[in-house]
Amino acid sequence: MSRPEGPHSNMTYLDHAATSWPKPAPVVDSVARALVELGGNPGRGAHALALSTSRAVFEARRTCSELLGVADSRSLLFQPSCTVACNVMLKGTLRRGDRVVVGSMEHNAVVRPLARLKAEGLKVEIVRADSAGLIDPADVERVVRSGPTRALICQHASNVTGTIQPLGDLADIAHENGAILLVDGAQAAGHLSVDIDSIRPDGYAASGHKGMLGPPGIGLLYLSPELEVAELIQGGTGGGSSASSEMPSHRPDRYEAGSGNTPGMTGLGAAAGLLAEKGDSFREHSSDLMRQLHEGVLDIAGFRVLGPPPEEPRVPLLSIVHKTIEPDRIAFLLDRDYSVAARAGLHCAAWAHESVGSLAGGAVRLSVGWTTQAKDVDRALCALREIVS
């Protein structure tokens, strides 16, 4: 796909880990259709327009559920973002006096809710990742078994190192020790072939606008049918009796108070349909580009790559640190002089940078996406060589 016309049409966009761009045509068309044709409020009326909108939202939820391997689509909830989904998952499940075990690579979407809960009496035990950002299941099992544990909390993939965590092993450890597994899948959904029923998490939060290629302002939250989670927001819903002052107990209505983001939901449904059809080819394409980028950076003197080596799997992002030039400076020059968009800093994940030894100045993160081409990677590598020469 060619880049859209506009002021940034000549940019080499390597910030897909922050948000995918440009959006696929089916997503754009679906968002536009929702704004133009689906003016009704889903679940809030019995007239034809409201019913058409409700049907479109139902189909979007079903398509997302099929993509992510969720057997019962009622357990897959639309949320305003992955961050909101993480807050619901954590604050709706954990209570004062509970003990949780969490990996050290977490994003602030997990770290900050945990900090608030810790101030209110939650006990938090941190398992340190290795230098590549990988959590060792043996370390996790040892800490989980050292005391009664309510939850094991872990990301699926790191937004700093690209490291993919061994969720199958972690699910076994959690469930064998009477704990639940809560997962931040922001960087995994879309980039990896996620099958919720196989992974067996009790909660799984996903971003809609990153690897899933959907619009901004929409996320997903899977909650196991057996898991009781308190809703964080109360208000109007499309189900239950409006005369009751209590939220409906059934899903998804209990967790979707207020008028929903219909363009976001249907746009994400369109993205999920596209990924169901072409996701494997997108992932193969991204993997090839990551290998090209990774090996190219290793050939430039002075750079250190965070995370696993080139031969090991990762989601399609690469964070790099130069021995003398600050990350902020490199990203600034990439943008100003070469029109290469990258992101520098701590990436809202100070724990992760501390774990891999880059907390002092952060790193420059380059992330490829579905429209990235080999020439884009070459352009970025050429720019990096000139900047550090």
Side-chain angles (χ1 to χ4, degrees), residues 255-337:
Y255 304 99
E256 294 182 357
S259 296
N261 176 6
T262 299
M265 291 185 280
T266 59
L268 184 54
L274 178 65
L275 287 170
E277 179 184 354
K278 298 184 178 181
D280 288 343
S281 64
F282 288 170
R283 286 185 281 271
E284 183 179 358
H285 174 70
S286 295
S287 179
D288 291 342
L289 292 176
M290 282 308 302
R291 191 175 304 108
Q292 175 190 353
L293 179 61
H294 198 156
E295 292 174 352
V297 169
L298 291 177
D299 285 337
I300 305 175
F303 275 115
R304 175 169 70 98
V305 175
L306 306 182
E311 64 272 13
E312 294 185 10
R314 63 163 68 220
V315 292
L317 63 89
L318 197 76
S319 293
I320 59 178
V321 179
H322 193 264
K323 63 181 180 181
T324 59
I325 306 176
E326 291 297 317
D328 287 347
R329 179 65 179 170
I330 294 174
F332 169 75
L333 293 174
L334 283 172
D335 181 36
R336 186 193 68 179
D337 297 342

Side-chain angles (χ1 to χ4, degrees), residues 135-273:
I135 303 294
D136 187 340
D139 292 338
V140 172
E141 186 168 24
R142 174 178 50 79
V143 178
V144 167
R145 288 186 172 181
S146 67
T149 302
R150 169 60 175 152
L152 172 57
I153 303 164
C154 189
Q155 62 186 204
H156 196 163
S158 172
N159 73 315
V160 172
T161 63
T163 309
I164 301 168
Q165 303 298 344
L167 288 192
D169 292 338
L170 298 182
D172 288 340
I173 292 167
H175 297 154
E176 289 169 4
N177 290 277
I180 58 175
L181 177 67
L182 305 178
V183 180
D184 174 5
Q187 291 293 337
H191 290 312
L192 301 178
S193 181
V194 175
D195 189 315
I196 295 291
D197 285 348
S198 296
I199 297 172
R200 296 168 293 119
D202 298 277
Y204 191 102
S207 172
H209 67 101
K210 299 180 189 290
M212 286 196 69
L213 305 179
I218 194 70
L220 292 166
L221 175 59
Y222 165 78
L223 295 177
S224 167
E226 290 76 35
L227 183 65
E228 172 64 23
V229 181
E231 76 278 1
L232 296 190
I233 300 174
Q234 295 79 38
T237 65
S241 172
S242 292
S244 174
S245 60
E246 301 294 327
M247 287 293 289
S249 60
H250 58 273
R251 300 179 180 185
D253 301 82
R254 180 179 180 183
Y255 304 99
E256 294 182 357
S259 296
N261 176 6
T262 299
M265 291 185 280
T266 59
L268 184 54

